[in-house]
PDB file of all heavy atoms in Angstrom:
ATOM      1  N   LEU G 206     158.466 156.507 145.416  1.00 87.00           N
ATOM      2  CA  LEU G 206     158.037 155.625 146.380  1.00 87.00           C
ATOM      3  C   LEU G 206     158.257 154.226 145.972  1.00 87.00           C
ATOM      4  O   LEU G 206     158.558 153.330 146.786  1.00 87.00           O
ATOM      5  CB  LEU G 206     156.563 155.884 146.757  1.00 87.00           C
ATOM      6  CG  LEU G 206     156.173 157.072 147.580  1.00 87.00           C
ATOM      7  CD1 LEU G 206     154.709 157.233 147.753  1.00 87.00           C
ATOM      8  CD2 LEU G 206     156.900 157.158 148.859  1.00 87.00           C
ATOM      9  N   LEU G 209     162.005 153.359 146.217  1.00 85.00           N
ATOM     10  CA  LEU G 209     162.379 153.287 147.488  1.00 85.00           C
ATOM     11  C   LEU G 209     161.511 152.255 148.324  1.00 85.00           C
ATOM     12  O   LEU G 209     161.621 152.188 149.474  1.00 85.00           O
ATOM     13  CB  LEU G 209     162.324 154.653 148.197  1.00 85.00           C
ATOM     14  CG  LEU G 209     163.186 155.665 147.530  1.00 85.00           C
ATOM     15  CD1 LEU G 209     162.999 157.072 148.135  1.00 85.00           C
ATOM     16  CD2 LEU G 209     164.662 155.352 147.777  1.00 85.00           C
ATOM     17  N   GLY G 210     160.764 151.442 147.584  1.00 81.00           N
ATOM     18  CA  GLY G 210     159.830 150.613 148.357  1.00 81.00           C
ATOM     19  C   GLY G 210     160.297 149.146 148.268  1.00 81.00           C
ATOM     20  O   GLY G 210     159.525 148.305 148.452  1.00 81.00           O
ATOM     21  N   GLY G 211     161.613 148.997 148.276  1.00 78.00           N
ATOM     22  CA  GLY G 211     162.162 147.685 148.489  1.00 78.00           C
ATOM     23  C   GLY G 211     162.072 146.802 147.232  1.00 78.00           C
ATOM     24  O   GLY G 211     162.193 145.527 147.291  1.00 78.00           O
ATOM     25  N   VAL G 212     161.947 147.462 145.993  1.00 79.00           N
ATOM     26  CA  VAL G 212     161.913 146.608 144.772  1.00 79.00           C
ATOM     27  C   VAL G 212     163.366 146.082 144.487  1.00 79.00           C
ATOM     28  O   VAL G 212     163.553 144.933 144.181  1.00 79.00           O
ATOM     29  CB  VAL G 212     161.462 147.564 143.591  1.00 79.00           C
ATOM     30  CG1 VAL G 212     161.773 146.768 142.240  1.00 79.00           C
ATOM     31  CG2 VAL G 212     159.993 147.979 143.693  1.00 79.00           C
ATOM     32  N   TYR G 214     166.068 146.319 146.839  1.00 77.00           N
ATOM     33  CA  TYR G 214     166.945 145.865 147.929  1.00 77.00           C
ATOM     34  C   TYR G 214     166.027 145.464 149.184  1.00 77.00           C
ATOM     35  O   TYR G 214     164.826 145.825 149.167  1.00 77.00           O
ATOM     36  CB  TYR G 214     167.818 147.144 148.293  1.00 77.00           C
ATOM     37  CG  TYR G 214     167.043 148.362 148.631  1.00 77.00           C
ATOM     38  CD1 TYR G 214     166.542 148.686 149.881  1.00 77.00           C
ATOM     39  CD2 TYR G 214     166.842 149.390 147.627  1.00 77.00           C
ATOM     40  CE1 TYR G 214     165.752 149.670 150.084  1.00 77.00           C
ATOM     41  CE2 TYR G 214     166.109 150.532 147.871  1.00 77.00           C
ATOM     42  CZ  TYR G 214     165.612 150.705 149.137  1.00 77.00           C
ATOM     43  OH  TYR G 214     164.820 151.783 149.323  1.00 77.00           O
ATOM     44  N   THR G 216     165.190 146.048 153.029  1.00 76.00           N
ATOM     45  CA  THR G 216     165.395 147.218 153.962  1.00 76.00           C
ATOM     46  C   THR G 216     166.413 146.848 155.106  1.00 76.00           C
ATOM     47  O   THR G 216     166.785 147.607 155.761  1.00 76.00           O
ATOM     48  CB  THR G 216     164.026 147.570 154.656  1.00 76.00           C
ATOM     49  OG1 THR G 216     163.391 146.451 155.228  1.00 76.00           O
ATOM     50  CG2 THR G 216     163.134 148.251 153.682  1.00 76.00           C
ATOM     51  N   GLY G 224     165.811 152.571 157.533  1.00 75.00           N
ATOM     52  CA  GLY G 224     164.866 151.330 157.604  1.00 75.00           C
ATOM     53  C   GLY G 224     163.630 151.629 158.191  1.00 75.00           C
ATOM     54  O   GLY G 224     162.494 151.298 157.721  1.00 75.00           O
ATOM     55  N   SER G 227     161.684 153.956 155.874  1.00 80.00           N
ATOM     56  CA  SER G 227     161.014 153.156 154.836  1.00 80.00           C
ATOM     57  C   SER G 227     159.673 152.518 155.229  1.00 80.00           C
ATOM     58  O   SER G 227     158.785 152.330 154.212  1.00 80.00           O
ATOM     59  CB  SER G 227     162.024 151.956 154.445  1.00 80.00           C
ATOM     60  OG  SER G 227     163.135 152.510 153.837  1.00 80.00           O
ATOM     61  N   HIS G 228     159.420 152.243 156.482  1.00 81.00           N
ATOM     62  CA  HIS G 228     158.140 151.643 156.798  1.00 81.00           C
ATOM     63  C   HIS G 228     157.026 152.714 156.742  1.00 81.00           C
ATOM     64  O   HIS G 228     155.744 152.316 156.825  1.00 81.00           O
ATOM     65  CB  HIS G 228     158.286 151.178 158.248  1.00 81.00           C
ATOM     66  CG  HIS G 228     158.973 149.776 158.281  1.00 81.00           C
ATOM     67  ND1 HIS G 228     160.363 149.735 158.020  1.00 81.00           N
ATOM     68  CD2 HIS G 228     158.602 148.532 158.487  1.00 81.00           C
ATOM     69  CE1 HIS G 228     160.783 148.470 158.168  1.00 81.00           C
ATOM     70  NE2 HIS G 228     159.641 147.728 158.300  1.00 81.00           N
ATOM     71  N   LEU G 229     157.291 153.899 156.439  1.00 84.00           N
ATOM     72  CA  LEU G 229     156.238 154.896 156.246  1.00 84.00           C
ATOM     73  C   LEU G 229     155.698 154.857 154.710  1.00 84.00           C
ATOM     74  O   LEU G 229     154.837 155.424 154.354  1.00 84.00           O
ATOM     75  CB  LEU G 229     156.662 156.293 156.523  1.00 84.00           C
ATOM     76  CG  LEU G 229     157.111 156.647 157.932  1.00 84.00           C
ATOM     77  CD1 LEU G 229     157.680 157.936 158.098  1.00 84.00           C
ATOM     78  CD2 LEU G 229     155.791 156.357 158.876  1.00 84.00           C
ATOM     79  N   ASN G 230     156.487 154.066 153.916  1.00 86.00           N
ATOM     80  CA  ASN G 230     156.125 153.953 152.562  1.00 86.00           C
ATOM     81  C   ASN G 230     155.290 152.868 152.205  1.00 86.00           C
ATOM     82  O   ASN G 230     155.638 151.622 152.483  1.00 86.00           O
ATOM     83  CB  ASN G 230     157.439 153.793 151.703  1.00 86.00           C
ATOM     84  CG  ASN G 230     157.246 153.706 150.248  1.00 86.00           C
ATOM     85  OD1 ASN G 230     156.129 153.664 149.816  1.00 86.00           O
ATOM     86  ND2 ASN G 230     158.349 153.435 149.539  1.00 86.00           N
ATOM     87  N   PRO G 231     153.986 153.163 151.900  1.00 87.00           N
ATOM     88  CA  PRO G 231     152.998 152.033 151.739  1.00 87.00           C
ATOM     89  C   PRO G 231     153.445 150.996 150.646  1.00 87.00           C
ATOM     90  O   PRO G 231     153.088 149.776 150.838  1.00 87.00           O
ATOM     91  CB  PRO G 231     151.692 152.749 151.387  1.00 87.00           C
ATOM     92  CG  PRO G 231     152.088 154.071 150.848  1.00 87.00           C
ATOM     93  CD  PRO G 231     153.384 154.368 151.616  1.00 87.00           C
ATOM     94  N   ILE G 232     154.210 151.444 149.636  1.00 88.00           N
ATOM     95  CA  ILE G 232     154.523 150.464 148.563  1.00 88.00           C
ATOM     96  C   ILE G 232     155.441 149.476 149.109  1.00 88.00           C
ATOM     97  O   ILE G 232     155.452 148.311 148.641  1.00 88.00           O
ATOM     98  CB  ILE G 232     155.173 151.236 147.406  1.00 88.00           C
ATOM     99  CG1 ILE G 232     154.077 152.245 146.861  1.00 88.00           C
ATOM    100  CG2 ILE G 232     155.778 150.331 146.380  1.00 88.00           C
ATOM    101  CD1 ILE G 232     154.484 152.975 145.602  1.00 88.00           C
ATOM    102  N   LEU G 233     156.218 149.729 150.145  1.00 88.00           N
ATOM    103  CA  LEU G 233     157.153 148.755 150.756  1.00 88.00           C
ATOM    104  C   LEU G 233     156.415 147.468 151.287  1.00 88.00           C
ATOM    105  O   LEU G 233     156.720 146.324 151.055  1.00 88.00           O
ATOM    106  CB  LEU G 233     157.814 149.267 151.959  1.00 88.00           C
ATOM    107  CG  LEU G 233     158.832 148.397 152.810  1.00 88.00           C
ATOM    108  CD1 LEU G 233     160.035 148.293 152.087  1.00 88.00           C
ATOM    109  CD2 LEU G 233     159.025 148.920 154.142  1.00 88.00           C
ATOM    110  N   TYR G 234     155.138 147.755 151.762  1.00 89.00           N
ATOM    111  CA  TYR G 234     154.264 146.631 152.304  1.00 89.00           C
ATOM    112  C   TYR G 234     153.841 145.805 151.146  1.00 89.00           C
ATOM    113  O   TYR G 234     153.757 144.580 151.185  1.00 89.00           O
ATOM    114  CB  TYR G 234     153.098 147.154 153.043  1.00 89.00           C
ATOM    115  CG  TYR G 234     153.623 147.967 154.297  1.00 89.00           C
ATOM    116  CD1 TYR G 234     153.925 149.305 154.280  1.00 89.00           C
ATOM    117  CD2 TYR G 234     153.680 147.293 155.591  1.00 89.00           C
ATOM    118  CE1 TYR G 234     154.366 149.934 155.409  1.00 89.00           C
ATOM    119  CE2 TYR G 234     154.133 147.894 156.674  1.00 89.00           C
ATOM    120  CZ  TYR G 234     154.523 149.312 156.566  1.00 89.00           C
ATOM    121  OH  TYR G 234     154.986 149.886 157.660  1.00 89.00           O
ATOM    122  N   MET G 235     153.427 146.476 150.064  1.00 89.00           N
ATOM    123  CA  MET G 235     152.881 145.759 148.900  1.00 89.00           C
ATOM    124  C   MET G 235     153.957 144.882 148.320  1.00 89.00           C
ATOM    125  O   MET G 235     153.726 143.640 147.875  1.00 89.00           O
ATOM    126  CB  MET G 235     152.229 146.655 147.882  1.00 89.00           C
ATOM    127  CG  MET G 235     151.159 147.398 148.531  1.00 89.00           C
ATOM    128  SD  MET G 235     150.774 148.965 147.549  1.00 89.00           S
ATOM    129  CE  MET G 235     150.146 149.928 148.875  1.00 89.00           C
ATOM    130  N   VAL G 236     155.108 145.451 147.948  1.00 89.00           N
ATOM    131  CA  VAL G 236     156.281 144.751 147.405  1.00 89.00           C
ATOM    132  C   VAL G 236     156.666 143.475 148.214  1.00 89.00           C
ATOM    133  O   VAL G 236     156.781 142.351 147.764  1.00 89.00           O
ATOM    134  CB  VAL G 236     157.444 145.604 147.142  1.00 89.00           C
ATOM    135  CG1 VAL G 236     158.768 144.837 146.692  1.00 89.00           C
ATOM    136  CG2 VAL G 236     157.008 146.733 146.065  1.00 89.00           C
ATOM    137  N   ASN G 237     156.683 143.789 149.534  1.00 88.00           N
ATOM    138  CA  ASN G 237     157.222 142.773 150.435  1.00 88.00           C
ATOM    139  C   ASN G 237     156.081 141.617 150.618  1.00 88.00           C
ATOM    140  O   ASN G 237     156.450 140.372 150.569  1.00 88.00           O
ATOM    141  CB  ASN G 237     157.562 143.264 151.786  1.00 88.00           C
ATOM    142  CG  ASN G 237     159.048 143.699 151.853  1.00 88.00           C
ATOM    143  OD1 ASN G 237     159.925 142.872 151.827  1.00 88.00           O
ATOM    144  ND2 ASN G 237     159.261 144.956 151.579  1.00 88.00           N
ATOM    145  N   ALA G 238     154.921 141.996 150.560  1.00 89.00           N
ATOM    146  CA  ALA G 238     153.816 140.929 150.733  1.00 89.00           C
ATOM    147  C   ALA G 238     153.830 140.025 149.414  1.00 89.00           C
ATOM    148  O   ALA G 238     153.651 138.860 149.538  1.00 89.00           O
ATOM    149  CB  ALA G 238     152.543 141.616 150.935  1.00 89.00           C
ATOM    150  N   ASP G 248     160.376 141.570 154.369  1.00 79.00           N
ATOM    151  CA  ASP G 248     160.975 142.426 155.519  1.00 79.00           C
ATOM    152  C   ASP G 248     159.837 142.807 156.528  1.00 79.00           C
ATOM    153  O   ASP G 248     160.089 143.410 157.626  1.00 79.00           O
ATOM    154  CB  ASP G 248     161.412 143.744 154.818  1.00 79.00           C
ATOM    155  CG  ASP G 248     162.686 143.518 153.975  1.00 79.00           C
ATOM    156  OD1 ASP G 248     163.298 142.446 154.245  1.00 79.00           O
ATOM    157  OD2 ASP G 248     162.933 144.329 153.203  1.00 79.00           O
ATOM    158  N   ILE G 249     158.658 142.507 156.105  1.00 83.00           N
ATOM    159  CA  ILE G 249     157.508 142.997 157.022  1.00 83.00           C
ATOM    160  C   ILE G 249     156.520 141.849 157.159  1.00 83.00           C
ATOM    161  O   ILE G 249     156.560 140.903 156.415  1.00 83.00           O
ATOM    162  CB  ILE G 249     156.806 144.269 156.495  1.00 83.00           C
ATOM    163  CG1 ILE G 249     156.542 144.219 155.143  1.00 83.00           C
ATOM    164  CG2 ILE G 249     157.718 145.613 156.840  1.00 83.00           C
ATOM    165  CD1 ILE G 249     155.197 143.896 154.700  1.00 83.00           C
ATOM    166  N   ALA G 254     150.712 143.937 156.271  1.00 90.00           N
ATOM    167  CA  ALA G 254     150.786 144.552 154.847  1.00 90.00           C
ATOM    168  C   ALA G 254     149.284 144.446 154.220  1.00 90.00           C
ATOM    169  O   ALA G 254     148.878 145.335 153.652  1.00 90.00           O
ATOM    170  CB  ALA G 254     151.759 143.690 154.027  1.00 90.00           C
TER     171      ALA G 254
END
Side-chain angles (χ1 to χ4, degrees):
Chain G
L206 284 180
L209 298 171
V212 171
Y214 55 84
T216 52
S227 290
H228 283 71
L229 297 174
N230 179 358
I232 293 179
L233 179 80
Y234 297 85
M235 299 159 206
V236 169
N237 272 281
D248 292 340
I249 46 100

